[in-house]
Amino acid sequence: MTDKTDSQQPKIYQAPMEGVIDHHVRELLSTVGGVDVCVTEFVRVTNTRLPRRVFTRLCPELLQDAETTTGTPVRLQLLGGNPEAMATNAIKAVSVGAKAIDLNFGCPAKSVNNSDGGACLLQSPHRVEAIVGTVRRAVPEGIPVTAKIRLGFNDRSSYMDNAMAAAAGGANELAVHARSKVDGYKPPAYWEYIGEIRQQLEIPVIANGDIWTLKEFQRCREVTGCSAFMFGRSLLARPDLGLQIKAYCSGENYLPMAWQQVLELLWGYYQTTREVYPAKYLGNRIKQWLAYLKLAFPEAQLFFDKIKRLREAEAIEILFFQERRGEQEKFEAA
């Protein structure tokens, strides 16, 4: 039994990660459990109305009531700087099946910022308010419009201005990554700013940034006072982190995933995606995920060292067979 319990279960969000968390990973994470809401990679909006296929390609869950097969809701994320175009495409997304629209004001990528999208918009809080407000007015009242921001662009001084702008525009929820664009992903995350935002806003505030472990969750909750948390890289490093947190908060015993269980997830993910990506990229998604897993599992680094140069399906599958058999033998001998 844990030393401390909390009857209020936190709400766990999967953070959008461009080029990393696609619908295959969303399906996997929601199957593991502990995730209450998923968010897609961004749909880039310019000045035209995008066709249906753009939305369903990035979010095939739109074809199944905007949920994963386990029933976890999936929010469609839009990125762009033109309020009218964002609204037009939000309407289109809803017509395709979106049940919630998320707006990206947090992406720090140079290519995105140079194209008038993501975190660069934080330099002008009035633009944040205009985009949120135009989208909010365009879509039906029952469709949540949410936003994600960073603490600023060149520095963190505009954190409250942008948070207030998103709320003034009518955002139903606000996720805050506790760094500026210039901070990138370098530690630390400045959770205290999120706490100040939460105290000022009447809408739910979701804390995001550097919550890698159960202890860091406890500390983030203490600093921010939030009851909702968003996990990106840390959820890839520990796929059951949401389950760990929820067990802790309900006072239940929980044994975190062992490497043997994670290896089975990897094998299932490989099988699911093997036919989806071009042969020359075979195994790349597994290698990408291992880069995060090795932050929590030393065995992931060893496995990565073995698989990193493999390109042929037969060689990759033989390696998986050997590793899975070895882990099973260790388990039976224990």
Side-chain angles (χ1 to χ4, degrees):
M1 185 68 69
T2 53
D3 296 329
K4 177 182 176 183
T5 62
D6 186 338
S7 58
Q8 184 184 32
Q9 279 284 3
K11 195 169 184 180
I12 305 296
Y13 293 72
Q14 163 257 306
M17 292 180 65
E18 177 68 12
V20 180
I21 300 185
D22 61 6
H23 66 281
H24 297 297
V25 181
R26 293 194 293 271
E27 181 68 25
L28 185 150
L29 292 174
S30 64
T31 300
V32 170
V35 176
D36 298 300
V37 178
C38 292
V39 185
T40 69
E41 301 167 274
F42 63 73
V43 174
R44 187 186 291 269
V45 173
T46 53
N47 295 317
T48 60
R49 190 176 76 159
L50 297 167
R52 173 188 177 91
R53 65 179 181 275
V54 172
F55 299 102
T56 57
R57 182 177 68 246
L58 278 175
C59 186
E61 296 98 337
L62 293 176
L63 304 177
Q64 52 191 40
D65 207 30
E67 296 179 345
T68 66
T69 58
T70 58
T72 304
V74 179
R75 293 180 178 174
L76 184 78
Q77 182 189 186
L78 301 180
L79 177 147
N82 182 311
E84 289 72 28
M86 291 283 279
T88 296
N89 282 282
I91 293 170
K92 178 65 175 181
V94 170
S95 75
V96 175
K99 298 297 178 65
I101 300 296
D102 187 64
L103 305 176
N104 182 321
F105 301 104
C107 182
K110 185 178 294 186
S111 60
V112 169
N113 293 166
N114 288 345
S115 300
D116 198 34
C120 75
L121 297 164
L122 300 176
Q123 298 173 100
S124 306
H126 68 277
R127 295 190 68 198
V128 171
E129 181 175 351
I131 292 168
V132 174
T134 305
V135 173
R136 176 66 280 172
R137 291 187 293 273
V139 300
E141 185 177 346
I143 301 294
V145 174
T146 62
K148 186 183 181 191
I149 66 171
R150 282 177 170 254
L151 298 177
F153 190 75
N154 291 315
D155 55 41
R156 296 181 288 276
S157 61
S158 64
Y159 71 101
M160 190 63 73
D161 291 338
N162 282 301
M164 297 292 285
N172 297 97
E173 293 179 351
L174 180 68
V176 182
H177 184 116
R179 297 181 177 92
S180 69
K181 184 270 181 187
V182 171
D183 291 328
Y185 294 96
K186 299 187 297 291
Y190 300 92
W191 294 331
E192 62 273 17
Y193 290 86
I194 300 178
E196 293 179 31
I197 290 170
R198 184 194 63 78
Q199 291 178 339
Q200 292 296 317
L201 267 57
E202 295 183 359
I203 61 174
V205 174
I206 304 159
N208 173 236
D210 271 14
I211 314 173
W212 290 93
T213 65
L214 179 57
K215 286 186 177 180
E216 286 169 332
F217 158 76
Q218 295 166 9
R219 177 61 179 157
C220 180
R221 183 173 61 169
E222 177 184 338
V223 171
T224 65
C226 289
S227 58
F229 303 85
M230 180 172 277
F231 303 85
R233 296 172 297 158
S234 55
L235 198 57
L236 294 174
R238 292 178 173 86
D240 66 337
L241 183 56
L243 291 177
Q244 294 181 37
I245 289 169
K246 292 195 171 187
Y248 164 79
C249 290
S250 60
E252 298 175 357
N253 290 317
Y254 181 78
L255 185 63
M257 274 187 170
W259 171 246
Q260 181 184 16
Q261 295 167 289
V262 174
L263 186 59
E264 291 304 312
L265 289 181
L266 277 170
W267 171 240
Y269 180 55
Y270 168 77
Q271 290 181 299
T272 299
T273 60
R274 178 174 48 196
E275 305 301 328
V276 176
Y277 302 106
K280 64 180 179 179
Y281 300 128
L282 186 68
N284 279 12
R285 285 293 203 167
I286 295 295
K287 298 165 190 176
Q288 182 184 55
W289 192 9
L290 284 167
Y292 297 100
L293 286 169
K294 67 185 182 183
L295 300 174
F297 297 92
E299 300 93 335
Q301 179 66 64
L302 299 175
F303 189 66
F304 176 78
D305 290 340
K306 295 175 183 178
I307 200 174
K308 63 183 178 182
R309 292 186 177 85
L310 301 183
R311 293 289 185 272
E312 300 297 325
E314 182 179 4
I316 292 173
E317 289 162 20
I318 288 173
L319 177 60
F320 262 114
F321 175 77
Q322 293 171 340
E323 293 294 313
R324 294 169 67 222
R325 182 178 62 184
E327 289 300 316
Q328 184 62 31
E329 290 173 351
K330 290 179 187 176
F331 175 77
E332 292 172 352

